[in-house]
């Protein structure tokens, strides 16, 4: 298969997906942020005699939590998310304890708390900032490493930049698809999401390096008459390995999604999307960007609107 001659179709497909991802991200509630990024408290309540969701919502409103998000977890259990609950001060009980006492009295039932999690707004802001810096530092480290690793071929910097552009493509598409999943399947951006993004960054770059390394070897050996032919041969040499590795990972992730429970579901969804997108970009996007740059096609595309304006 001649991958290189069809690169414009691959670019068009990626452009359409990226535009759709941007629209989904820019639209209201593009990404549903979890507590780690917004601040607040989440608590799971197990009632011995479960009240209705409407009655629970009404009682929480009376306690000053009218904006609380309440989800029925089944079997007399409710998941509640609200603003950050205050801790105990001196002899004054914590806000969580006051809520539990009030609910037990109102509904005449015993309540157990199997799970409680709270993040202050200041910590949430710091988490957002740290997540951004982590991704930027990872991208710069990848760029520097690839420039050094491919120093024996012409324009090694372009290999690193091409990998970073493909990486941005992957992250944007993953975030866009995840935002769509958040709208319909109630998935949140949390710490597991960031871990998934970082994992995808590593996997995508690894897959891209496999292709680029074969391009480097074939250039040194003079396998093809030009760069386009060499890239096409290199993709054919590595596509079997890339697909087999990705399929193995996908089967593992699907098994974890079925049997692993909801705790790591956000992480697994990011991995599932990212592995598919990362495999696609490493084969059909990263090397094609390198070719377009080396051939000067990118400069001609940029200069074309200005040449029309001059005429």
């Amino acid at each position: 298969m001649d991958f290189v001659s069809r690169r414009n179709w691959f670019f068009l497909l990626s452009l359409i997906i990226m535009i759709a991802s941007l629209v989904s991200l820019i639209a209201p509630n593009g990404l549903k942020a979890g507590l780690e990024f917004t601040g607040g408290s989440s608590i799971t309540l197990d009632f011995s005699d479960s009240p209705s969701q409407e009655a629970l919502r009404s009682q929480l409103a009376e306690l000053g939590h009218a904006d609380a998000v309440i989800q029925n977890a089944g079997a007399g259990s409710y998941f509640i998310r609200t603003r950050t609950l205050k801790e105990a001060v001196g002899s004054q009980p914590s806000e969580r304890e006051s809520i539990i006492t009030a609910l037990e009295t109102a509904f005449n039932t015993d309540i157990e708390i199997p799970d409680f999690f709270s993040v202050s707004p200041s910590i949430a802001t710091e988490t957002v900032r740290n997540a951004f810096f982590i991704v930027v530092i990872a991208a710069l480290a990848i760029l520097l490493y690839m420039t050094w690793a491919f120093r024996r071929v012409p324009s090694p910097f372009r290999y690193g930049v091409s990998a970073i552009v493909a990486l941005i493509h992957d992250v944007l598409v993953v975030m866009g698809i995840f935002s769509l999943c958040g709208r319909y399947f109630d998935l949140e951006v949390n710490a597991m999401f960031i871990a998934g993004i970082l994992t995808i960054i590593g996997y995508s770059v690894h897959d891209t390096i496999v292709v680029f390394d074969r391009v480097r070897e074939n250039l040194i050996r003079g396998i093809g008459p030009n760069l386009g032919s060499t890239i096409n041969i290199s993709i054919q040499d590595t596509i079997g390995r890339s697909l087999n590795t990705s399929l193995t990972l996908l089967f593992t992730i699907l098994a974890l999604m079925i049997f692993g429970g909801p705790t790591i579901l956000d992480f697994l969804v990011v991995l599932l999307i990212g592995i598919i997108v990362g495999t696609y970009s490493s084969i059909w996007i990263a090397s094609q960007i390198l070719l377009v740059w080396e051939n000067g096609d990118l400069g001609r595309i940029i200069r074309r609107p200005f040449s029309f304006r001059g005429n």
Side-chain angles (χ1 to χ4, degrees):
M1 180 178 179
D2 190 354
F3 298 96
V4 171
S5 65
R6 296 177 173 85
R7 60 182 179 274
N8 290 336
W9 290 106
F10 301 139
F11 289 154
L12 179 61
L13 175 61
S14 291
L15 181 61
I16 293 173
I17 296 175
M18 289 176 69
I19 291 174
S21 298
L22 281 172
V23 170
S24 179
L25 290 170
I26 295 173
N29 300 320
L31 283 173
K32 187 176 180 181
L35 292 181
E36 292 92 337
F37 296 95
T38 60
S41 298
S42 67
I43 184 170
T44 301
L45 303 179
D46 289 343
F47 291 84
S48 59
D49 186 12
S50 177
S52 67
Q53 187 166 338
E54 291 74 16
L56 180 58
R57 188 183 307 278
S58 176
Q59 191 62 37
L60 286 173
E62 292 182 10
L63 296 172
H65 298 276
D67 59 343
V69 177
I70 304 173
Q71 297 177 346
N72 192 335
S77 181
Y78 286 98
F79 174 80
I80 300 171
R81 176 177 169 179
T82 185
R83 58 175 172 78
T84 304
L85 299 178
K86 299 177 182 178
E87 296 296 330
V89 178
S91 60
Q92 184 178 1
S94 66
E95 197 169 3
R96 176 185 57 176
E97 293 172 342
S98 299
I99 291 174
I100 299 304
T101 301
L103 292 179
E104 287 180 333
T105 302
F107 298 117
N108 192 26
T109 183
D110 294 327
I111 300 176
E112 294 184 0
I113 308 175
D115 183 58
F116 176 75
F117 181 67
S118 185
V119 177
S120 69
S122 60
I123 295 177
T125 303
E126 184 179 353
T127 301
V128 174
R129 183 173 61 252
N130 291 342
F132 173 78
F133 284 137
I134 287 172
V135 173
V136 171
I137 291 172
L140 290 176
I142 290 168
L143 176 60
L144 292 175
Y145 169 75
M146 291 195 65
T147 302
W148 176 82
F150 290 87
R151 63 191 182 279
R152 296 183 180 179
V153 297
S155 306
F157 181 73
R158 296 184 177 183
Y159 285 77
V161 173
S162 298
I164 295 301
V165 172
L167 184 60
I168 294 172
H169 163 276
D170 295 348
V171 172
L172 180 60
V173 172
V174 169
M175 292 178 65
I177 297 177
F178 193 89
S179 73
L180 291 174
C181 293
R183 296 176 189 275
Y184 298 103
F185 303 106
D186 201 32
L187 295 178
E188 293 184 345
V189 175
N190 51 28
M192 298 299 290
F193 175 85
I194 298 301
I197 289 293
L198 292 175
T199 304
I200 291 305
I201 288 175
Y203 176 82
S204 177
V205 171
H206 168 268
D207 218 16
T208 299
I209 289 177
V210 169
V211 179
F212 281 179
D213 193 54
R214 184 54 61 90
V215 171
R216 177 181 60 180
E217 292 177 357
N218 289 338
L219 281 174
I220 295 173
R221 295 163 56 191
I223 296 297
N226 52 52
L227 180 60
S229 177
T230 302
I231 287 177
N232 200 63
I233 294 171
S234 301
I235 292 175
Q236 292 176 3
D237 290 344
T238 57
I239 190 171
R241 172 182 172 178
S242 296
L243 293 179
N244 288 335
T245 302
S246 299
L247 286 173
T248 302
L249 288 172
L250 287 176
F251 291 147
T252 304
I253 291 171
L254 289 173
L256 287 171
M257 292 179 73
I258 295 173
F259 301 108
T263 307
I264 57 174
L265 181 61
D266 296 345
F267 176 72
L268 295 175
V269 171
V270 174
L271 288 186
L272 182 67
I273 301 170
I275 287 173
I276 296 173
V277 176
T279 303
Y280 163 78
S281 70
S282 64
I283 298 173
W284 286 284
I285 298 299
S287 55
Q288 314 296 347
I289 292 173
L290 176 64
L291 176 62
V292 168
W293 195 352
E294 289 286 348
N295 289 345
D297 296 340
L298 184 60
R300 285 192 291 270
I301 293 173
I302 295 175
R303 289 192 298 269
R304 187 173 300 170
F306 296 98
S307 64
F308 284 134
R309 185 178 301 176
N311 294 333

